[in-house]
Amino acid sequence: MNGATARKPASASAVSSGWKLQAVSGNPCRHSTSGPLPASRQARSRPLARIQCGVNAGDIMSASICCGRPYTSGPLASRKARPMIKQRLTELVQEPEKLVDLTWPYLLQLALALAIFFIGKRLAAWLVQLVRAAMRRAHVDDTLGDFLGNVLFGLAMTVVVLSSLHQLGIDTTSAAAVLGGAALAIGLSLQQQLSSLAAGVILIIFRPFNKGDVVEIGAGIKGVIEEIKIVHTRLRSFDNREVMVPNASITANTITNYTTRGTRRIDLVISISYGADLLRAKRVLLEIAGADPRVLKAPAPTVAVKDLSPNALDLSMLSWVKTADYDAVRADQLEAIKLRFERDGIPLPSSSMEVTLKQPPASSGASA
């Protein structure tokens, strides 16, 4: 043969087995000119070759799949490959057992992924119910319990979804990296909202005020607490306006709670003229405080001299009342003091200015 090695003709079994035999024994691609595949690549291509290359020796579609080449490369892109593809699909339809053999592994993976998703979802809901029940037994606020339960459910569902995708053969490492990057971006863009969320957790845990309390936040926000949420707190002002205050602003300012204590002290400063009878004025003020049944007997009301101002004598009147009666009793006391002082002739000071005009002395020439 002139030094050439004679090729051994393929047997009938080799021809009938087609690319399946070639994929196991050597290069599965007839049109490949690069020689036999390396051992590592042959090992990776064998499972796919056994599944998808069990066709006749002229099936170019299966050969391209086994080589890992795209459908648009080589002879597959030509029009001559289309009849072969159509023929292969027709064979699969006519022989359902082959179609079942091809699709069964994927259907099994899909079924397992769905089972992981639904069972995991049910377990996550059950776990959240246990956590919420434990928080109720520990007398934790319902708002905080609902928030923590939702966070726990979201984390559990993230793990369930990633597990389902992994069962389908999807690389979850890249998905976890994408989720981490998205969480970082969201955290940077929502810094103020997240700070309000953390402040809401602090307010719910430590409870500096409750629903219905009269509070003053900072120096300008005063009203009745209507609702405490995880991000903001809703107040009702005394002129019936609804005020939404971010929780971060609440924790960053001074909080004055007027309702925490059951009683409050009314501090009034009454000024009288220096010409008025001091002892009589003190006696009248004590009578006014003692005549009101809403004023508490203990501690007893007191009246004392507070200051000697340039234009008046300042008296301090102190009386204790219940917190709910504070505004009404204070207004009634001021009205009663004004009417009683007018009736008893106790003068109240008034702002006045005394102007003295001096006549310049007449000149000697003018007198002559």
Side-chain angles (χ1 to χ4, degrees), residues 69-319:
R69 298 186 179 184
Y71 293 114
T72 57
S73 64
L76 185 61
S78 64
R79 295 183 179 180
K80 296 180 181 180
R82 296 178 183 177
M84 296 181 180
I85 298 174
K86 186 176 181 180
Q87 180 181 1
R88 177 56 178 158
L89 294 176
T90 304
E91 292 177 357
L92 290 176
V93 172
Q94 293 177 354
E95 300 180 5
E97 62 276 2
K98 291 185 177 180
L99 182 61
V100 172
D101 292 339
L102 290 175
T103 58
W104 174 250
Y106 303 103
L107 293 177
L108 182 60
Q109 289 183 354
L110 179 61
L112 291 176
L114 292 176
I116 291 174
F117 177 78
F118 288 107
I119 295 176
K121 183 178 179 181
R122 184 65 62 87
L123 290 177
W126 176 73
L127 179 62
V128 169
Q129 290 180 358
L130 288 180
V131 172
R132 288 179 176 174
M135 289 185 175
R136 289 194 208 98
R137 289 193 297 268
H139 303 287
V140 178
D141 188 84
D142 292 339
T143 304
L144 180 60
D146 294 339
F147 170 72
L148 294 179
N150 293 333
V151 171
L152 180 61
F153 183 77
L155 294 176
M157 287 304 301
T158 301
V159 175
V160 170
V161 171
L162 291 178
S163 301
S164 301
L165 294 177
H166 181 72
Q167 180 62 37
L168 289 175
I170 300 175
D171 186 11
T172 57
T173 305
S174 58
V178 171
L179 290 176
L184 178 61
I186 294 173
L188 293 176
S189 61
L190 300 177
Q191 290 182 1
Q192 294 182 353
Q193 287 77 4
L194 291 177
S195 62
S196 293
L197 188 146
V201 174
I202 293 174
L203 291 177
I204 293 173
I205 293 176
F206 294 100
R207 282 295 183 182
F209 47 75
N210 295 303
K211 182 179 179 180
D213 290 355
V214 178
V215 299
E216 183 176 1
I217 300 170
I221 303 176
K222 188 175 182 180
V224 181
I225 299 295
E226 291 286 327
E227 187 178 15
I228 306 172
K229 291 191 174 182
I230 199 67
V231 177
H232 63 268
T233 299
R234 183 163 59 90
L235 286 81
R236 175 175 51 84
S237 63
F238 295 113
D239 55 355
N240 204 29
R241 291 181 300 169
E242 187 173 283
V243 183
M244 309 294 289
V245 185
N247 290 333
S249 300
I250 297 176
T251 55
N253 287 284
T254 303
I255 303 173
T256 304
N257 193 332
Y258 296 101
T259 314
T260 304
R261 306 294 181 179
T263 58
R264 288 186 64 183
R265 191 181 69 181
I266 300 176
D267 296 354
L268 296 179
V269 178
I270 310 299
S271 299
I272 60 176
S273 299
Y274 278 104
D277 188 347
L278 174 60
L279 297 180
R280 185 179 180 185
K282 292 177 63 176
R283 185 170 60 252
V284 169
L285 293 177
L286 288 175
E287 291 176 359
I288 292 174
D292 194 330
R294 295 170 294 181
V295 176
L296 301 178
K297 304 303 180 182
T302 59
V303 177
V305 177
K306 180 180 172 124
D307 195 9
L308 299 175
S309 60
N311 299 320
L313 180 64
D314 296 333
L315 301 179
S316 174
M317 176 180 174
L318 307 178
S319 55

Side-chain angles (χ1 to χ4, degrees), residues 354-362:
E354 183 178 350
V355 179
T356 303
L357 298 176
K358 293 185 178 181
Q359 184 78 19

